[in-house]
Amino acid sequence: MPLESQRLAPEEYKRNFADLHPPFELLDTAFIEANRCLYCYDAPCTKSCPTSIDVPQFIKQISTGNIKGSAETIFSANIMGGGCAKVCPVEKLCEGACVYNLLHEEPIAIAKLQRFSTEQAIKEKWKIFERKPSNGKRVAIVGAGPAGLACAHALSLEGVDVTIFEKEAKGGGLMTYGVAAYKVTPEFCEDEVDWILSVGGITIQYNTEIGTTKTLQDLQRDYDAVFVGIGVGVARHLGIPGEELDGVVDAIKFIYDIRTKDYSEIPVGDRVAVIGMGMTAIDAATQSKRLGAKEVVMVYRRDEHEKSCTDAELEIAKLDGCSFVWLAAPKEILGEHGKATALVCNIVRLSDEADASGKRAILPTGETMTIEADMIIRAAGQIPFEEFVQGAHIQNNGGRISTSGLQTTNLKGVFAGGDCVNGGKEVVDAVQHGKDAAKGILEYLSSNK
Amino acid sequence: MANLHSTLLGISSPNPFWLASAPPTDKKINVLRAFEAGWGGVVWKTLGDQVKNVSSRYAAINYGNQRVMGLNNIELISDRPLDINLKEIREVMKEFPDRAMVVSLMANTNRESWHDLVKRVQDNGCHGLELNFGCPHGMTERGMGAAVGQDPAIAKMVVEWVMEVAEVPVLTKLTPNVHSVVPIAKATLEAGTNGFALINTIQSLMGVDLDTFLPYPDVGGHTAFGGYCGPAVKPIALKMLTSLGMDKATANTPISGIGGVTTWRDAVEFMLLGAGNVQVCTAVMKYGFRIINDLCSGMSNWMDEKGFTSTSEFVGLSIPKVTDWEELDLNFHIVANINQDKCIHCGLCYIACEDASHQAISLEKGNPYNTYSIKEEECVGCNLCKLVCPVSECITMLEQRKGAEHLNWKEFQRLGLPLNEH
Ligand SMILES: Cc1cc2nc3c(=O)[nH]c(=O)nc-3n(C[C@H](O)[C@H](O)[C@H](O)COP(=O)(O)OP(=O)(O)OC[C@H]3O[C@@H](n4cnc5c(N)ncnc54)[C@H](O)[C@@H]3O)c2cc1C
Ligand SMILES: Cc1cc2nc3c(=O)[nH]c(=O)nc-3n(C[C@H](O)[C@H](O)[C@H](O)COP(=O)(O)O)c2cc1C
Ligand code: SF4
Ligand code: SF4
Ligand code: SF4
């Protein structure tokens, strides 16, 4: 039997994919929380935001009723401050550093407050930014993800005319095609992209993949500078027997479908095994469950302390009823009639000593275990677009683009940032790379007059 | 449990908490519920010539989500018929004979009117009278309220009229809308008042609606200055109260303390600074009569802890601690100390000290938490950092005297001691 779709009634899908963190409904409630903020000096929350949003200031502005000023404070540091308010793993960023944690009190709901201001700005299309008159400089950007969009916005403000080439039909990158559907809706992603573009001076050529008909060299020739923000590609292969069986799917592809199709069209297994314990793995597991899978098991070859997702994310998976198998390294996928039926894992243990990279070595115990599953989702990291990078002769490390100060690459006038450089972090990190690159590009443009 | 029984001007009440003359005391059903809740006494809403009130009467300060930090009103005296008020007073006194019933009065400024009103009210029955010389709005324009209380000569004259016929104790309620309450207090004391009540409300304008440009409260397109009360006015009330306790002429006259009393702590502070009892208005207008429970229980527990058995034992104990600036000891020196184990690295002490002039706190950058410490040699001991620190007992002020002897400013000058070098 192929994997089944249409497992749930429409209202069940709706409930399962409703907003994970509902917003403040009233100014009153936002005001109460805003007034709890201490307005710290050289605030730890700001220092823990990769884009350095002036958190105490924007919160203070909410408390004075200056919501527009608050939105401006946020967006000037992070043009995707609206989306970040919904998708950032705040417990390891701003909120994790809030001084209230040191009093063993709930940290300030920074993201929720950030959402309060930014959502209004985006919805009501407040005019916050004015771009300088066009200065005749033209920059090409590859990829309309967070890195590319942030770079484009910062450049456009300074009067640069920006053209973005995007292989998909919509902007936003993994914000639109990757992040869990219960965090951001497709409509929000579109509104956010429109909001960024509303400053003017930015055109996006959709459905245009660079590296096929048009190459990076073409862009280098036709534009004053180029920014590469292509992100990373499909999920890493496991390199174990049985990976070709039906029912073995790529997490990124699976999630892409969730984000682009009707939930009822997405097939999902009865018993799903997800391999990996990063954010992508969690999203694949929770969304499988929310699509109607009966059982979801997450399989990881390390223990809970070494997981790469946050505690809060793990908690979501737990609440969704996923179960966990720690210290199990996938060995083989078994199947019948070309369809996956089970995942066999080596039971492993971790060495007492950490190696040079700070991780403990994985040691076999000689024992194995078999997990019955009709769907196996690969979510153990993503592969960089090595072909593109090699083909364009950009210096790289296994496909990850190498950069130095202000996101410069080895190629003159070519800058890069986001997942394609850091190997896959968060939206907020990609935005900061985009901002830094814009700075680098502006310096480059003015020194090459 | 300490006994909270209290006597002021011979008027007895089971506890020192009275309701101030205001809406909560303006009719029988209110006062009955107040007494059922446990209030010790009331000062009945001011009686006089019946008035007409406007609609839209209050405005308040919402400070950082603390609503009604300060309350303002443009209400007048009782707008109910005098007869009904008198009848209800009789009925309440009958039901609660152990509670204090003081009636607030405001007559037209002539002898006959005051004589009439005093007689009618005391013949009807009450334990005492309170003269409303304080209402800062409406009544003033008619030559009453604060218009009387701001002029020692007029105030004295009115009290004389009252004392000619009064057979029950008389409290004169002072207005805070003067530079000092002492001259009026002295004048009314000479005229024979038995005690004081203070403060009434402070003249105020609460703010402006930024959309309509209309100041609050909006009475159909206009407003008028109103009287300010509630927690925000407490320090002003305490100062005025204490100034009576510090003046020889008024020091021994009983006082009912009013102005921002919200908790038992406030009440204890008023009493330590010389109030024989306290009156409460805004706190009840915000939370209702039920707050009497904690007022009593908090004060009683505090008294037990301090070994007081009667409320009269601590009245005025803090007055001797207030002196003229000139007498303060310039050799007394304190420096701030940060308990690093308690510090949550908010940096508020740092920026306060830095920008409020002393630059006595050092900042050592950390990620994400900076470390802050005091530069003792720069610290003037102003207390600001301790005041802004969100963690109690995190910053303490340590005594580091500059010299053993008490050194006041006069001595300092006489000895020709040096002023600051930078
Ligand atoms: C499943 C999943 C869940 C995630 N959840 C979160 C989360 O909750 N919170 C969070 O902060 N982050 C999350 N992330 C990470 C986050 O989405 C990324 O870090 C971020 O989107 C990176 O931005 P980017 O601009 O570098 O790359 P991307 O978002 O990947 O954007 C790259 C863009 O370039 C386009 N492109 C690629 N190649 C070409 C080409 N050759 N020509 C033209 N266009 C091209 C792509 O179509 C894409 O639009 C998640 C990631 C995944 C996979
Ligand atoms: C709405 C309102 C009406 C008041 N009416 C009177 C009054 O009729 N007579 C009077 O002496 N004081 C009146 N006051 C003043 C209060 O009795 C009291 O002195 C003042 O509010 C300060 O106390 P508080 O801070 O506890 O409110 C009134 C106060 C308010 C808020
Ligand atoms: S650390 Fe917390 S309290 Fe301090 S400014 Fe940031 S959000 Fe506010
Ligand atoms: S007491 Fe005053 S001078 Fe001393 S450290 Fe604190 S704020 Fe600065
Ligand atoms: S104000 Fe208090 S908690 Fe904040 S940094 Fe200073 S000492 Fe630490």
Side-chain angles (χ1 to χ4, degrees), chain B residues 56-173:
Chain B
S56 181
R57 308 171 190 183
Y58 309 145
I61 299 285
N62 178 3
Y63 186 79
N65 217 44
Q66 283 297 313
R67 284 171 200 267
V68 198
M69 263 281 296
L71 176 71
N72 149 296
N73 83 88
I74 49 171
E75 244 174 47
L76 306 179
I77 63 174
S78 177
D79 57 9
R80 308 175 67 225
L82 185 58
D83 287 346
I84 295 183
N85 275 303
L86 293 177
K87 176 171 163 282
E88 290 187 357
I89 290 170
R90 284 199 307 273
E91 289 165 0
V92 171
M93 286 183 74
K94 209 158 147 200
E95 260 185 76
F96 284 94
D98 65 327
R99 309 303 166 90
M101 173 61 74
V102 174
V103 180
S104 171
L105 306 179
M106 183 191 292
N108 289 322
T109 312
N110 62 67
R111 175 186 249 132
E112 209 186 318
S113 298
W114 275 101
H115 278 190
D116 267 4
L117 189 61
V118 169
K119 283 192 216 152
R120 274 192 80 176
V121 171
Q122 73 188 12
D123 291 351
N124 181 64
C126 63
H127 301 119
L129 298 174
E130 188 179 270
L131 310 183
N132 180 349
F133 288 180
C135 189
H137 46 267
M139 306 312 290
T140 333
E141 293 149 25
R142 305 176 198 179
M144 293 184 267
V148 175
Q150 283 165 335
D151 185 327
I154 303 178
K156 185 175 175 192
M157 181 175 72
V158 172
V159 174
E160 277 168 359
W161 295 335
V162 170
M163 299 319 290
E164 283 163 9
V165 289
E167 288 161 6
V168 291
V170 172
L171 284 160
T172 300
K173 184 165 178 180

Side-chain angles (χ1 to χ4, degrees), chain A residues 38 40 99, chain B residues 337-340 342-350 361 370-372 374 385-386 388-391 394-395:
Chain A
L38 297 170
C40 295
V99 298
Chain B
N337 180 272
I338 297 177
N339 179 339
Q340 296 295 344
K342 290 196 168 178
C343 174
I344 59 168
H345 316 283
C346 67
L348 292 177
C349 58
Y350 170 82
I361 300 180
N370 299 340
T371 305
Y372 298 97
I374 305 292
C385 54
K386 178 184 162 71
V388 301
C389 177
V391 185
C394 173
I395 299 185

Side-chain angles (χ1 to χ4, degrees), chain A residues 83-84 86-89 93 141-149 164-180 183 205 207-212 227-233 251-252 255-256 279-281 283-284 287 313 382 385 388 417-422 424-431 433:
Chain A
C84 280
K86 298 168 186 237
V87 309
C88 272
L93 302 172
I141 290 180
V142 190
L149 288 169
I164 307 183
F165 300 91
E166 168 57 54
K167 74 173 157 59
E168 297 290 339
K170 285 181 184 167
L174 286 177
M175 189 77 146
T176 300
Y177 295 109
V179 173
K183 293 185 186 165
Q205 296 192 9
N207 306 309
T208 310
E209 180 168 355
I210 299 301
T212 50
F227 174 75
V228 178
I230 54 176
V232 282
I252 303 299
I255 292 169
Y256 180 95
M279 301 283 245
T280 303
D283 285 1
Q287 293 183 106
E313 296 281 332
Q382 287 169 258
F385 289 114
F388 175 96
D419 280 1
C420 65
V421 169
N422 64 28
K425 283 171 118 180
E426 318 297 341
V427 170
V428 65
D429 299 292
V431 169
H433 272 181

